Amino acid sequence: RKEVEQDPGPFNVPEGATVAFNCTYSNSASQSFFWYRQDCRKEPKLLMSVYSSGNEDGRFTAQLNRASQYISLLIRDSKLSDSATYLCVVNLYYGGSQGNLIFGKGTKLSVKP
Amino acid sequence: DGGITQSPKYLFRKEGQNVTLSCEQNLNHDAMYWYRQDPGQGLRLIYYSQIVNDFQKGDIAEGYSVSREKKESFPLTVTSAQKNPTAFYLCACGTGPDEAFFGQGTRLTVV
């Protein structure tokens, strides 16, 4: 089983649609969780951290289910500018200064007019 | 402004040549990472370092070397032993359980 699994997509949706990305992770010791956005030929950028209580940032909502080892990202009212690849990331933090970041392969989203 | 800087943005390598990719950060992060990304693929870890003068191999270290002589700097050398070096190389830094910050990447092409 891969450490972090995502549906590769692509997800092709019309503007205004709601789209959900899912991610599962295999290591129950994972300490922290993130969603990154990567535009074509650019570096990944942090979209949002994911907390057990769930968190929302405008049109974006992230959820974490530790029992099921499952992370989700919901995008409401999608915009053309949301088109990108979304990376699920877990941090197997064992203490000290070094994190151990594990990246999913990403889910590609394409929002059409 | 604090940040992480990679250079050059584009790099061309001849067959059999070693090249070095620069990564510098002023975010005071202890850990630094090098990833490789191939078209349509995810990130694969090459090397990482958590303190000065110490580094560990990642999943695909063969054909690469690194050094960490200063906290701020983590250069990656792509050696002639790396048979398929054409890729997008990303450097990142972070601390502990927090998120990582990426440089803008170096696109390496073998000519």
Side-chain angles (χ1 to χ4, degrees):
Chain A
R1 183 180 173 185
K2 294 178 184 175
E3 294 202 65
V4 177
E5 289 199 69
Q6 296 182 248
D7 184 336
F11 283 35
N12 297 308
V13 303
E15 270 188 293
T18 296
V19 59
F21 302 136
N22 302 317
C23 170
T24 57
Y25 60 95
S26 60
N27 194 322
S28 59
S30 299
Q31 295 291 323
S32 48
F33 310 88
F34 310 96
W35 284 101
Y36 278 73
R37 170 191 171 131
Q38 186 175 24
D39 292 288
C40 188
R41 302 176 72 84
K42 299 283 190 181
E43 76 276 20
K45 293 186 177 178
L46 179 68
L47 179 65
M48 57 198 306
S49 302
V50 188
Y51 305 113
S52 297
S53 54
N55 48 305
E56 186 174 313
D57 183 3
R59 297 181 293 108
F60 299 84
T61 301
Q63 296 278 353
L64 166 64
N65 185 324
R66 284 188 182 269
S68 302
Q69 296 181 200
Y70 171 91
I71 305 160
S72 65
L73 176 69
L74 185 75
I75 305 176
R76 290 181 298 278
D77 188 24
S78 51
K79 312 291 185 190
L80 296 176
S81 58
D82 293 333
S83 297
T85 296
Y86 291 83
L87 304 171
C88 175
V89 183
V90 304
N91 192 338
L92 298 171
Y93 175 60
Y94 298 116
S97 61
Q98 182 218 343
N100 185 2
L101 296 162
I102 311 295
F103 285 81
K105 291 193 173 182
T107 300
K108 186 172 183 180
L109 172 66
S110 181
V111 181
K112 305 293 187 183
Chain B
D1 288 339
I4 176 168
T5 303
Q6 288 185 243
S7 62
K9 191 172 181 179
Y10 299 97
L11 186 58
F12 298 91
R13 191 194 94 168
K14 293 182 181 179
E15 294 278 357
Q17 192 178 45
N18 292 356
V19 292
T20 297
L21 284 59
S22 170
C23 180
E24 303 277 335
Q25 57 105 355
N26 60 4
L27 297 169
N28 200 35
H29 286 306
D30 293 303
M32 296 186 75
Y33 311 83
W34 273 106
Y35 294 92
R36 169 181 172 142
Q37 189 174 37
D38 293 283
Q41 301 296 313
L43 278 71
R44 292 187 289 168
L45 183 63
I46 305 172
Y47 267 99
Y48 60 98
S49 168
Q50 56 178 324
I51 55 172
V52 173
N53 294 322
D54 185 64
F55 46 83
Q56 283 78 42
K57 292 181 178 180
D59 301 318
I60 55 164
E62 185 175 350
Y64 300 98
S65 65
V66 293
S67 63
R68 187 88 184 273
E69 297 177 1
K70 299 185 299 182
K71 186 176 183 177
E72 300 79 15
S73 179
F74 191 40
L76 173 74
T77 297
V78 184
T79 75
S80 56
Q82 172 49 242
K83 297 307 177 189
N84 185 24
T86 295
F88 187 40
Y89 290 87
L90 287 158
C91 180
C93 64
T95 299
D98 298 332
E99 69 271 25
F101 299 89
F102 284 86
Q104 291 184 310
T106 294
R107 202 162 295 277
L108 174 63
T109 304
V110 174
V111 296

